[in-house]
mmCIF file of all heavy atoms in Angstrom:
data_model
loop_
_atom_site.group_PDB
_atom_site.id
_atom_site.type_symbol
_atom_site.label_atom_id
_atom_site.label_comp_id
_atom_site.label_asym_id
_atom_site.label_seq_id
_atom_site.Cartn_x
_atom_site.Cartn_y
_atom_site.Cartn_z
ATOM 1 N N CYS A 30 -1.515 -4.382 -12.774
ATOM 2 C CA CYS A 30 -0.716 -3.499 -11.929
ATOM 3 C C CYS A 30 0.534 -4.277 -11.527
ATOM 4 O O CYS A 30 0.442 -5.451 -11.168
ATOM 5 C CB CYS A 30 -1.507 -3.061 -10.702
ATOM 6 S SG CYS A 30 -2.852 -1.932 -11.117
ATOM 7 N N PRO A 31 1.717 -3.636 -11.587
ATOM 8 C CA PRO A 31 2.970 -4.366 -11.404
ATOM 9 C C PRO A 31 3.294 -4.823 -9.983
ATOM 10 O O PRO A 31 4.204 -5.602 -9.798
ATOM 11 C CB PRO A 31 4.019 -3.370 -11.900
ATOM 12 C CG PRO A 31 3.398 -2.041 -11.729
ATOM 13 C CD PRO A 31 1.933 -2.228 -11.919
ATOM 14 N N SER A 32 2.568 -4.349 -8.982
ATOM 15 C CA SER A 32 2.865 -4.812 -7.621
ATOM 16 C C SER A 32 1.589 -4.988 -6.824
ATOM 17 O O SER A 32 0.547 -4.409 -7.151
ATOM 18 C CB SER A 32 3.810 -3.834 -6.904
ATOM 19 O OG SER A 32 3.083 -2.858 -6.202
ATOM 20 N N GLY A 33 1.701 -5.776 -5.758
ATOM 21 C CA GLY A 33 0.541 -6.041 -4.895
ATOM 22 C C GLY A 33 0.103 -4.818 -4.119
ATOM 23 O O GLY A 33 -0.990 -4.787 -3.555
ATOM 24 N N GLY A 34 0.955 -3.798 -4.086
ATOM 25 C CA GLY A 34 0.620 -2.560 -3.370
ATOM 26 C C GLY A 34 -0.130 -1.568 -4.232
ATOM 27 O O GLY A 34 -0.360 -0.426 -3.830
ATOM 28 N N LEU A 35 -0.522 -2.018 -5.440
ATOM 29 C CA LEU A 35 -1.307 -1.165 -6.349
ATOM 30 C C LEU A 35 -2.586 -1.896 -6.716
ATOM 31 O O LEU A 35 -2.616 -3.116 -6.759
ATOM 32 C CB LEU A 35 -0.519 -0.869 -7.624
ATOM 33 C CG LEU A 35 0.784 -0.079 -7.503
ATOM 34 C CD1 LEU A 35 1.506 -0.054 -8.834
ATOM 35 C CD2 LEU A 35 0.518 1.341 -7.038
ATOM 36 N N GLN A 36 -3.636 -1.125 -6.955
ATOM 37 C CA GLN A 36 -4.879 -1.736 -7.429
ATOM 38 C C GLN A 36 -5.409 -0.937 -8.607
ATOM 39 O O GLN A 36 -5.101 0.237 -8.755
ATOM 40 C CB GLN A 36 -5.911 -1.804 -6.301
ATOM 41 C CG GLN A 36 -6.379 -0.453 -5.792
ATOM 42 C CD GLN A 36 -7.302 -0.569 -4.600
ATOM 43 O OE1 GLN A 36 -7.412 -1.613 -3.984
ATOM 44 N NE2 GLN A 36 -7.969 0.521 -4.264
ATOM 45 N N LEU A 37 -6.204 -1.589 -9.433
ATOM 46 C CA LEU A 37 -6.771 -0.956 -10.617
ATOM 47 C C LEU A 37 -7.738 0.141 -10.197
ATOM 48 O O LEU A 37 -8.601 -0.088 -9.350
ATOM 49 C CB LEU A 37 -7.485 -2.022 -11.460
ATOM 50 C CG LEU A 37 -7.361 -1.929 -12.968
ATOM 51 C CD1 LEU A 37 -5.930 -1.728 -13.421
ATOM 52 C CD2 LEU A 37 -7.942 -3.149 -13.619
ATOM 53 N N GLY A 38 -7.572 1.316 -10.785
ATOM 54 C CA GLY A 38 -8.432 2.455 -10.460
ATOM 55 C C GLY A 38 -9.811 2.316 -11.086
ATOM 56 O O GLY A 38 -10.069 1.379 -11.853
ATOM 57 N N PRO A 39 -10.705 3.268 -10.798
ATOM 58 C CA PRO A 39 -12.083 3.209 -11.316
ATOM 59 C C PRO A 39 -12.160 3.194 -12.846
ATOM 60 O O PRO A 39 -13.111 2.665 -13.410
ATOM 61 C CB PRO A 39 -12.753 4.478 -10.768
ATOM 62 C CG PRO A 39 -11.846 5.006 -9.709
ATOM 63 C CD PRO A 39 -10.480 4.450 -9.957
ATOM 64 N N ASP A 40 -11.135 3.759 -13.531
ATOM 65 C CA ASP A 40 -11.163 3.783 -14.996
ATOM 66 C C ASP A 40 -10.759 2.444 -15.608
ATOM 67 O O ASP A 40 -10.874 2.247 -16.810
ATOM 68 C CB ASP A 40 -10.269 4.906 -15.546
ATOM 69 C CG ASP A 40 -8.790 4.735 -15.208
ATOM 70 O OD1 ASP A 40 -8.423 3.734 -14.554
ATOM 71 O OD2 ASP A 40 -8.000 5.619 -15.601
ATOM 72 N N GLY A 41 -10.275 1.517 -14.776
ATOM 73 C CA GLY A 41 -9.898 0.187 -15.263
ATOM 74 C C GLY A 41 -8.606 0.162 -16.069
ATOM 75 O O GLY A 41 -8.241 -0.857 -16.627
ATOM 76 N N ARG A 42 -7.888 1.296 -16.121
ATOM 77 C CA ARG A 42 -6.661 1.383 -16.916
ATOM 78 C C ARG A 42 -5.442 1.809 -16.103
ATOM 79 O O ARG A 42 -4.341 1.387 -16.363
ATOM 80 C CB ARG A 42 -6.847 2.371 -18.081
ATOM 81 C CG ARG A 42 -7.874 1.925 -19.105
ATOM 82 C CD ARG A 42 -7.991 2.883 -20.278
ATOM 83 N NE ARG A 42 -8.293 4.236 -19.830
ATOM 84 C CZ ARG A 42 -7.514 5.286 -20.082
ATOM 85 N NH1 ARG A 42 -6.434 5.159 -20.782
ATOM 86 N NH2 ARG A 42 -7.845 6.483 -19.647
ATOM 87 N N THR A 43 -5.665 2.700 -15.130
ATOM 88 C CA THR A 43 -4.540 3.200 -14.328
ATOM 89 C C THR A 43 -4.538 2.526 -12.955
ATOM 90 O O THR A 43 -5.564 2.054 -12.483
ATOM 91 C CB THR A 43 -4.617 4.736 -14.149
ATOM 92 O OG1 THR A 43 -5.897 5.069 -13.608
ATOM 93 C CG2 THR A 43 -4.425 5.452 -15.461
ATOM 94 N N CYS A 44 -3.341 2.484 -12.356
ATOM 95 C CA CYS A 44 -3.184 1.843 -11.055
ATOM 96 C C CYS A 44 -3.104 2.892 -9.955
ATOM 97 O O CYS A 44 -2.437 3.909 -10.113
ATOM 98 C CB CYS A 44 -1.919 0.989 -11.051
ATOM 99 S SG CYS A 44 -2.000 -0.369 -12.238
ATOM 100 N N ILE A 45 -3.810 2.634 -8.869
ATOM 101 C CA ILE A 45 -3.757 3.557 -7.733
ATOM 102 C C ILE A 45 -3.123 2.845 -6.540
ATOM 103 O O ILE A 45 -3.200 1.627 -6.420
ATOM 104 C CB ILE A 45 -5.150 4.143 -7.372
ATOM 105 C CG1 ILE A 45 -6.188 3.035 -7.162
ATOM 106 C CG2 ILE A 45 -5.613 5.144 -8.407
ATOM 107 C CD1 ILE A 45 -7.526 3.530 -6.635
ATOM 108 N N ASP A 46 -2.501 3.619 -5.679
ATOM 109 C CA ASP A 46 -1.751 3.086 -4.546
ATOM 110 C C ASP A 46 -2.684 2.575 -3.449
ATOM 111 O O ASP A 46 -3.726 3.161 -3.186
ATOM 112 C CB ASP A 46 -0.846 4.197 -3.989
ATOM 113 C CG ASP A 46 -0.050 3.735 -2.792
ATOM 114 O OD1 ASP A 46 0.632 2.702 -2.899
ATOM 115 O OD2 ASP A 46 -0.103 4.408 -1.738
ATOM 116 N N ILE A 47 -2.282 1.460 -2.829
ATOM 117 C CA ILE A 47 -2.959 0.964 -1.627
ATOM 118 C C ILE A 47 -2.093 1.417 -0.460
ATOM 119 O O ILE A 47 -0.893 1.136 -0.441
ATOM 120 C CB ILE A 47 -3.053 -0.581 -1.628
ATOM 121 C CG1 ILE A 47 -3.897 -1.080 -2.802
ATOM 122 C CG2 ILE A 47 -3.586 -1.105 -0.309
ATOM 123 C CD1 ILE A 47 -3.800 -2.586 -3.047
ATOM 124 N N ASP A 48 -2.674 2.141 0.496
ATOM 125 C CA ASP A 48 -1.914 2.587 1.669
ATOM 126 C C ASP A 48 -1.871 1.452 2.684
ATOM 127 O O ASP A 48 -2.797 1.260 3.467
ATOM 128 C CB ASP A 48 -2.555 3.846 2.268
ATOM 129 C CG ASP A 48 -1.710 4.467 3.379
ATOM 130 O OD1 ASP A 48 -0.817 3.769 3.915
ATOM 131 O OD2 ASP A 48 -1.935 5.644 3.712
ATOM 132 N N GLU A 49 -0.784 0.668 2.625
ATOM 133 C CA GLU A 49 -0.655 -0.491 3.524
ATOM 134 C C GLU A 49 -0.603 -0.066 4.986
ATOM 135 O O GLU A 49 -0.996 -0.820 5.867
ATOM 136 C CB GLU A 49 0.623 -1.293 3.207
ATOM 137 C CG GLU A 49 0.603 -1.990 1.868
ATOM 138 C CD GLU A 49 1.165 -1.157 0.738
ATOM 139 O OE1 GLU A 49 1.381 0.065 0.926
ATOM 140 O OE2 GLU A 49 1.367 -1.717 -0.333
ATOM 141 N N CYS A 50 -0.102 1.147 5.245
ATOM 142 C CA CYS A 50 0.042 1.619 6.629
ATOM 143 C C CYS A 50 -1.324 1.851 7.284
ATOM 144 O O CYS A 50 -1.527 1.486 8.433
ATOM 145 C CB CYS A 50 0.874 2.900 6.665
ATOM 146 S SG CYS A 50 2.536 2.676 6.007
ATOM 147 N N SER A 51 -2.253 2.434 6.535
ATOM 148 C CA SER A 51 -3.563 2.704 7.128
ATOM 149 C C SER A 51 -4.512 1.516 6.993
ATOM 150 O O SER A 51 -5.465 1.389 7.757
ATOM 151 C CB SER A 51 -4.189 3.966 6.516
ATOM 152 O OG SER A 51 -4.374 3.784 5.131
ATOM 153 N N SER A 52 -4.244 0.617 6.021
ATOM 154 C CA SER A 52 -5.139 -0.535 5.836
ATOM 155 C C SER A 52 -4.798 -1.679 6.791
ATOM 156 O O SER A 52 -5.543 -2.641 6.901
ATOM 157 C CB SER A 52 -5.085 -1.032 4.389
ATOM 158 O OG SER A 52 -3.843 -1.672 4.145
ATOM 159 N N GLY A 53 -3.638 -1.585 7.450
ATOM 160 C CA GLY A 53 -3.242 -2.634 8.399
ATOM 161 C C GLY A 53 -2.553 -3.817 7.735
ATOM 162 O O GLY A 53 -2.266 -4.811 8.383
ATOM 163 N N LYS A 54 -2.282 -3.715 6.435
ATOM 164 C CA LYS A 54 -1.610 -4.816 5.723
ATOM 165 C C LYS A 54 -0.117 -4.863 6.057
ATOM 166 O O LYS A 54 0.527 -5.880 5.908
ATOM 167 C CB LYS A 54 -1.779 -4.652 4.214
ATOM 168 C CG LYS A 54 -3.115 -5.133 3.689
ATOM 169 C CD LYS A 54 -3.152 -5.088 2.176
ATOM 170 C CE LYS A 54 -4.472 -5.619 1.635
ATOM 171 N NZ LYS A 54 -4.539 -5.531 0.187
ATOM 172 N N ALA A 55 0.421 -3.704 6.459
ATOM 173 C CA ALA A 55 1.857 -3.624 6.746
ATOM 174 C C ALA A 55 2.166 -4.214 8.109
ATOM 175 O O ALA A 55 1.399 -4.058 9.045
ATOM 176 C CB ALA A 55 2.305 -2.172 6.692
ATOM 177 N N VAL A 56 3.303 -4.909 8.207
ATOM 178 C CA VAL A 56 3.744 -5.454 9.487
ATOM 179 C C VAL A 56 5.139 -4.916 9.773
ATOM 180 O O VAL A 56 6.094 -5.223 9.073
ATOM 181 C CB VAL A 56 3.770 -7.004 9.459
ATOM 182 C CG1 VAL A 56 4.230 -7.557 10.801
ATOM 183 C CG2 VAL A 56 2.394 -7.560 9.096
ATOM 184 N N CYS A 57 5.221 -4.059 10.788
ATOM 185 C CA CYS A 57 6.513 -3.507 11.208
ATOM 186 C C CYS A 57 6.750 -3.897 12.659
ATOM 187 O O CYS A 57 5.803 -3.977 13.450
ATOM 188 C CB CYS A 57 6.511 -1.980 11.098
ATOM 189 S SG CYS A 57 6.442 -1.361 9.398
ATOM 190 N N SER A 58 8.024 -4.155 13.017
ATOM 191 C CA SER A 58 8.332 -4.536 14.405
ATOM 192 C C SER A 58 8.063 -3.357 15.347
ATOM 193 O O SER A 58 7.945 -2.218 14.909
ATOM 194 C CB SER A 58 9.775 -5.023 14.504
ATOM 195 O OG SER A 58 10.651 -4.026 14.028
ATOM 196 N N TYR A 59 7.998 -3.641 16.644
ATOM 197 C CA TYR A 59 7.534 -2.667 17.645
ATOM 198 C C TYR A 59 8.273 -1.333 17.617
ATOM 199 O O TYR A 59 7.691 -0.298 17.888
ATOM 200 C CB TYR A 59 7.585 -3.287 19.046
ATOM 201 C CG TYR A 59 8.978 -3.300 19.655
ATOM 202 C CD1 TYR A 59 9.366 -2.317 20.563
ATOM 203 C CD2 TYR A 59 9.915 -4.269 19.306
ATOM 204 C CE1 TYR A 59 10.640 -2.305 21.105
ATOM 205 C CE2 TYR A 59 11.187 -4.260 19.836
ATOM 206 C CZ TYR A 59 11.554 -3.277 20.740
ATOM 207 O OH TYR A 59 12.805 -3.263 21.268
ATOM 208 N N ASN A 60 9.588 -1.355 17.302
ATOM 209 C CA ASN A 60 10.336 -0.097 17.339
ATOM 210 C C ASN A 60 10.467 0.564 15.959
ATOM 211 O O ASN A 60 11.312 1.406 15.737
ATOM 212 C CB ASN A 60 11.714 -0.299 17.971
ATOM 213 C CG ASN A 60 12.529 -1.379 17.270
ATOM 214 O OD1 ASN A 60 12.038 -2.018 16.343
ATOM 215 N ND2 ASN A 60 13.766 -1.569 17.704
ATOM 216 N N ARG A 61 9.597 0.126 15.023
ATOM 217 C CA ARG A 61 9.601 0.725 13.686
ATOM 218 C C ARG A 61 8.214 1.241 13.334
ATOM 219 O O ARG A 61 7.218 0.703 13.784
ATOM 220 C CB ARG A 61 10.032 -0.301 12.632
ATOM 221 C CG ARG A 61 11.474 -0.725 12.800
ATOM 222 C CD ARG A 61 11.857 -1.746 11.754
ATOM 223 N NE ARG A 61 13.189 -2.267 12.004
ATOM 224 C CZ ARG A 61 14.130 -2.330 11.082
ATOM 225 N NH1 ARG A 61 13.886 -1.928 9.858
ATOM 226 N NH2 ARG A 61 15.307 -2.820 11.370
ATOM 227 N N ARG A 62 8.183 2.284 12.491
ATOM 228 C CA ARG A 62 6.899 2.823 12.038
ATOM 229 C C ARG A 62 6.788 2.657 10.533
ATOM 230 O O ARG A 62 7.790 2.639 9.825
ATOM 231 C CB ARG A 62 6.729 4.284 12.458
ATOM 232 C CG ARG A 62 7.777 5.228 11.920
ATOM 233 C CD ARG A 62 7.726 6.588 12.612
ATOM 234 N NE ARG A 62 8.941 7.333 12.334
ATOM 235 C CZ ARG A 62 9.008 8.353 11.487
ATOM 236 N NH1 ARG A 62 7.948 8.747 10.822
ATOM 237 N NH2 ARG A 62 10.134 8.991 11.289
ATOM 238 N N CYS A 63 5.558 2.546 10.055
ATOM 239 C CA CYS A 63 5.279 2.291 8.641
ATOM 240 C C CYS A 63 5.283 3.588 7.851
ATOM 241 O O CYS A 63 4.707 4.589 8.273
ATOM 242 C CB CYS A 63 3.909 1.609 8.552
ATOM 243 S SG CYS A 63 3.414 1.224 6.871
ATOM 244 N N VAL A 64 5.943 3.561 6.695
ATOM 245 C CA VAL A 64 5.942 4.707 5.772
ATOM 246 C C VAL A 64 5.427 4.189 4.427
ATOM 247 O O VAL A 64 6.016 3.287 3.832
ATOM 248 C CB VAL A 64 7.355 5.313 5.617
ATOM 249 C CG1 VAL A 64 7.345 6.479 4.633
ATOM 250 C CG2 VAL A 64 7.910 5.760 6.958
#
């Protein structure tokens, strides 16, 4: 998968998105929200 924000799907061939906003991986300053 070309970026750290993607992970290999169950089929082992396609990449699925990791939602950094809901997983808590994203870091945004206090006056910003994650998209």
Side-chain angles (χ1 to χ4, degrees):
C30 290
S32 91
L35 297 172
Q36 65 185 14
L37 219 48
D40 63 1
R42 295 183 304 121
T43 54
C44 297
I45 53 173
D46 179 53
I47 297 168
D48 188 342
E49 293 91 348
C50 300
S51 61
S52 72
K54 279 186 178 178
V56 180
C57 292
S58 56
Y59 79 98
N60 56 357
R61 294 179 186 230
R62 60 192 165 105
C63 180
V64 179

